[in-house]
Amino acid sequence: MRVSALSYNNVSQVKKINASARREALRVMVICVLLSLVMGHAGAALDLGQQRSEFAKDLTNDLGDSLLDSHTAYLDFVYGAAMDAQTLGQVGQLKNLLLGAEDKARQDLEQTLQALLERYGRYSSIWVLDSAMRAVAKIEAGGARSVAYSDVELSALESVIRTRQQDISRDGYVSAIVPRHIDRAETGPRQPESYAVLPFGGPLRESQGFLVLVADSGTFVELHLKRLGLYPLIRGVELRFDSVDQYWRFDHGEWFLRSKVGDEGESNGDKYEKQRIFEFEQEQVNLSGDLIGEWKERRSVYNQMDGSPHKAIWFDLNPTIDIRVFISDAQWQSLLDDHYDKTFWQTYIIHVVGALAIGLGVSALAFIYIIKRAANRAKYFAERRRAETDHLTGAMSRHGFERLALSPRSRGPTLKGRAICFIDVDHFKRVNDTYGHCAGDCVLVEIVKVLSEQKRSDDLLVRWGGEEFLVLLGLADLGVVREIAERLRSSIEEEEFLTKDQLAVAITVSVGVAIIGDDGFNSALASADEALYRAKRGGRNQVQLSI
C-alpha cells in the first residue's frame, strides 16, 4: 500500500461515496433524457414518414376506387344500353317511321323517344336509321325534337354499323368507346362516345331499320373524378386499349383522341417530366367476350345477357382498359406536405413526450438504484469504521490498523523506511488505583487528543491496547523521526490532565522508536517494543531508538 493510502478517514470516504453517487445519478439522468429525446425524435420522424406514405397510398387508392366506380358505371351502360335498345326496339311506331308515317304519327313517336331519353338519362341522343343508313329521326337530350342531321355524324354512325354489320345483323351491337366525327382528321377536342345499335322491323329490307343509342362515355370518368379531392390536381387522364392504336386523353376539361405512335414521345417526354403518373388496369371481358365475373355479380342483367344460349348482343370491348392519371408532382408534394404539417405537432408531441416519460422513468429507477447502492456502501464504511475504531478514545484500533497497514498488499517493501513510535503511559495503573478507572479513561482520551494534535497529517495513531499507543510515521530520516518522537513525549509531559473532580494528574510516556526495514513491520515492532522497555528501565519519560 502506498503512503497516501495509509490514511484513516472513513467519514471523508462516505462523503466521497455520496458525492460520487450524486454525480453518477445526475449523469445517468442526463443520458436517459438525451437518449429519450433522440428516440422520440427518431420515432416521430419514422412515424411521420410512415403517415406520409400511408396518406399517399390512401390518395392513390381513392383515385383507383374512383376510376373503378367510373369503369363500373361504363360497364353498366354497356349492358344497360343493350337492354334499353331491345326495349325501345319493341315500340311499334318505329316501323311506321320507315314506311313514311304521317307528321302526327312522327311527332307522337318522337315524343315517346324523348320521354324514354329523359327517363334513362344516360344517352346524349337517339337515332333511327333506315336500311340505307339514312337518318329518319334524331332525338337529343335537352328537349330538342327537330334536329338537323350532320353529314359527319351520319358518316360516323354508318362507319360503325357497316364495320360491324355482321355482328349487328345477328341482333345487336354495343361499341367500345369510339370518337365522335370518327372520319375527320381533327386536332381539336372530341367527345368519347359509345353506341348501342339494334336492328328492328320486318323481314323485308325496306321494312328494316336501325335504332342507335349514343352516350357520352367520357362523362362516366369525369363525374367520378370530380368527386375526388384530388380533382384540382389532375392534369390529364388517358384511356388506352391494347388492341387500338389510338387512345383518349382528358385534359383541362376536354377530351382529345391521340395516336399512340405519334404521341408516345409527348406522353413520356418533357411535357410530363414534372408530373406524377398513376397507372391502373381494369379488366372488362374474358376471351369469350363475356363480362368478367366481378361485374356480373353486381348486376343481375349481366347474367341474363351472358347466360343466354344465343347471345343477343355483341359487345365490342377490349379485354382490358389501361387508365393513366397525370398529377402535378409539385402540387402532389404540396398536398403531402400540408398533411405532414397538420399531423406534425400531434405526432411529434406524442412520441417525444412518451419517450421522455419512459426516459424519466428509467432515470428515476437508475437514480433510486444508485442512491441505494451508495447508501449501502456508506453504511458499510460506517460499520467498518466502528469496527476499526477504538470506542473509548476514537483512535484507530489495532484491528483496523492490521487491516489497513498489515494486509497482504501492505507488508514488506510498501512500509519500508517508515518509523514506528511505540508509546506506553508511565505508571498508568497507579492512576487507575488512585483516581479510579473513570479518571483513567479520561486520561487516555486526552492523551489521544494531544497525540493527534502533534502528529503529522500522514501519520497514523493507533491504540494498540490498554495504555499502549502506536504512531506509524511517514518516510523520514532518523533525525526527523527522533524529533517527532520527542515532541510527542514532551507534549504529554507538558499537558495538564484533569479528572472529573478537577484534580490535576501528572502523566508521562515512554517511547520506543524503530525503522521498518527489509524484515518487515513485525520485526520493526519487536525492535520498537524492546526500545520501549529500555526507556522504562532507564527511568521512563524518555525516547529510546532501536539499535
Side-chain angles (χ1 to χ4, degrees):
M1 180 176 291
R2 300 302 175 190
V3 175
S4 60
L6 288 176
S7 59
Y8 185 67
N9 195 345
N10 281 340
V11 174
S12 176
Q13 187 70 18
V14 170
K15 291 181 178 179
K16 290 180 179 179
I17 291 173
N18 291 333
S20 175
R22 287 192 295 270
R23 289 193 299 270
E24 184 179 1
L26 180 60
R27 184 166 57 249
V28 169
M29 289 185 68
V30 171
I31 292 174
C32 287
V33 170
L34 291 178
L35 285 177
S36 64
L37 290 176
V38 171
M39 293 177 63
H41 281 284
L46 290 175
D47 194 7
L48 287 169
Q50 185 176 1
Q51 289 183 23
R52 184 186 180 99
S53 299
E54 290 179 353
F55 181 63
K57 184 178 179 180
D58 291 340
L59 292 177
T60 304
N61 291 337
D62 290 343
L63 181 60
D65 292 341
S66 177
L67 295 174
L68 182 63
D69 291 340
S70 64
H71 187 244
T72 303
Y74 168 64
L75 294 180
D76 287 343
F77 157 76
V78 168
Y79 272 96
M83 299 295 290
D84 294 344
Q86 288 182 335
T87 300
L88 293 175
Q90 297 173 4
V91 177
Q93 294 99 324
L94 289 177
K95 186 185 299 184
N96 295 333
L97 288 178
L98 302 179
L99 300 176
E102 297 178 356
D103 291 341
K104 181 65 170 62
R106 179 183 294 274
Q107 291 177 2
D108 292 341
L109 178 59
E110 288 179 350
Q111 289 179 355
T112 301
L113 295 179
Q114 182 67 48
L116 293 173
L117 181 64
E118 294 174 355
R119 174 186 173 187
Y120 290 104
R122 57 178 136 193
Y123 307 112
S124 58
S125 61
I126 298 178
W127 291 70
V128 179
L129 306 180
D130 62 15
S131 59
M133 308 300 173
R134 292 189 299 267
V136 177
K138 176 185 178 183
I139 309 298
E140 285 195 347
R145 298 180 182 176
S146 178
V147 181
Y149 308 142
S150 167
D151 292 337
V152 174
E153 292 178 295
L154 286 174
S155 298
L157 293 176
E158 182 180 359
S159 174
V160 171
I161 294 174
R162 292 191 184 282
T163 302
R164 296 296 182 179
Q165 188 169 8
Q166 180 179 357
D167 301 327
I168 294 174
S169 63
R170 288 169 31 172
D171 270 334
Y173 164 77
V174 176
S175 75
I177 301 176
V178 296
R180 178 182 288 178
H181 314 317
I182 195 169
D183 60 334
R184 295 178 60 182
E186 291 183 350
T187 58
R190 298 180 180 182
Q191 183 64 31
E193 293 181 333
S194 297
Y195 300 94
V197 184
L198 187 76
F200 69 91
L204 300 178
R205 180 174 179 80
E206 60 272 11
S207 65
Q208 290 183 341
F210 300 95
L211 178 66
V212 182
L213 305 181
V214 183
D216 292 335
S217 306
T219 304
F220 300 120
V221 177
E222 294 178 46
L223 289 177
H224 288 84
L225 287 178
K226 288 179 179 179
R227 298 174 186 173
L228 282 176
L230 285 175
Y231 183 73
L233 278 62
I234 295 177
R235 293 295 175 264
V237 179
E238 292 182 358
L239 306 180
R240 293 172 173 258
F241 308 92
D242 292 338
S243 59
V244 181
D245 292 335
Q246 294 175 317
Y247 67 92
W248 286 104
R249 178 173 175 85
F250 180 69
D251 200 352
H252 296 89
E254 295 181 317
W255 288 94
F256 298 87
L257 187 65
R258 301 283 179 84
S259 171
K260 292 182 180 179
V261 178
D263 289 350
E264 191 65 29
E266 182 181 356
S267 298
N268 300 321
D270 296 337
K271 182 176 180 180
Y272 304 111
E273 183 177 357
K274 295 183 179 180
Q275 294 185 1
R276 186 174 294 267
I277 303 176
F278 298 86
E279 298 189 53
F280 305 89
E281 182 181 84
Q282 306 286 2
E283 294 182 346
Q284 300 191 102
V285 295
N286 57 26
L287 297 179
S288 301
D290 298 332
L291 206 64
I292 60 174
E294 180 180 352
W295 310 111
K296 291 169 64 174
E297 294 173 359
R298 299 180 62 174
R299 292 290 187 273
S300 60
V301 66
Y302 299 168
N303 295 325
Q304 296 174 14
M305 301 291 290
D306 285 345
S308 61
H310 302 286
K311 185 181 295 184
I313 300 293
W314 178 262
F315 300 101
D316 190 15
L317 298 179
N318 295 89
T320 60
I321 178 173
D322 298 324
I323 305 175
R324 305 174 69 187
V325 180
F326 297 83
I327 293 180
S328 169
D329 186 68
Q331 292 185 346
W332 174 264
Q333 296 298 334
S334 178
L335 183 64
L336 297 183
D337 291 341
D338 290 342
H339 180 266
Y340 179 91
D341 294 339
K342 290 178 182 178
T343 59
F344 175 81
W345 284 112
Q346 180 181 0
T347 304
Y348 179 81
I349 290 174
I350 290 175
H351 280 273
V352 173
V353 171
L356 190 60
I358 295 175
L360 290 176
V362 173
S363 64
L365 294 176
F367 178 83
I368 293 173
Y369 169 77
I370 293 171
I371 296 301
K372 186 175 181 180
R373 185 185 63 181
N376 291 335
R377 293 186 64 193
K379 181 180 179 181
Y380 164 76
F381 278 102
E383 292 176 350
R384 193 176 76 178
R385 176 178 175 80
R386 286 194 295 270
E388 296 175 352
T389 302
D390 179 61
H391 69 280
L392 175 63
T393 63
M396 181 183 289
S397 66
R398 181 172 181 175
H399 170 73
F401 177 80
E402 289 175 346
R403 186 202 65 80
L404 179 66
L406 301 183
S407 64
R409 294 189 306 165
S410 303
R411 293 179 180 142
T414 57
L415 294 178
K416 183 178 179 180
R418 305 191 72 163
I420 298 174
C421 294
F422 204 17
I423 302 172
D424 184 77
V425 181
D426 296 332
H427 302 297
F428 185 71
K429 184 176 183 303
R430 186 184 302 171
V431 174
N432 285 333
D433 293 343
T434 304
Y435 301 102
H437 289 280
C438 290
D441 291 343
C442 292
V443 168
L444 292 176
V445 172
E446 292 301 318
I447 288 175
V448 168
K449 290 181 180 179
V450 173
L451 294 177
S452 296
E453 293 174 355
Q454 297 301 320
K455 74 179 185 67
R456 299 174 301 180
S457 60
D458 60 342
D459 298 336
L460 288 180
L461 173 61
V462 183
R463 185 184 179 190
W464 200 252
E467 66 274 18
E468 294 179 336
F469 298 90
L470 182 146
V471 178
L472 181 65
L473 303 179
L475 296 175
D477 57 28
L478 187 59
V480 174
V481 170
R482 184 181 183 87
E483 179 182 346
I484 295 174
E486 184 61 33
R487 185 171 72 241
L488 296 175
R489 184 204 63 78
S490 62
S491 64
I492 298 297
E493 183 183 15
E494 296 171 359
E495 182 70 19
E496 183 180 5
F497 295 91
L498 299 175
T499 65
K500 293 175 58 177
D501 299 328
Q502 299 299 310
L503 298 175
V505 180
I507 299 296
T508 60
V509 295
S510 300
V511 182
V513 179
I515 304 296
I516 301 174
D518 294 335
D519 294 337
F521 174 82
N522 291 331
S523 177
L525 181 61
S527 299
D529 185 57
E530 183 180 346
L532 173 62
Y533 278 101
R534 285 203 310 271
K536 292 285 188 179
R537 290 193 298 270
R540 294 182 172 81
N541 193 23
Q542 58 181 278
V543 176
Q544 288 291 332
L545 298 179
S546 174
I547 302 175

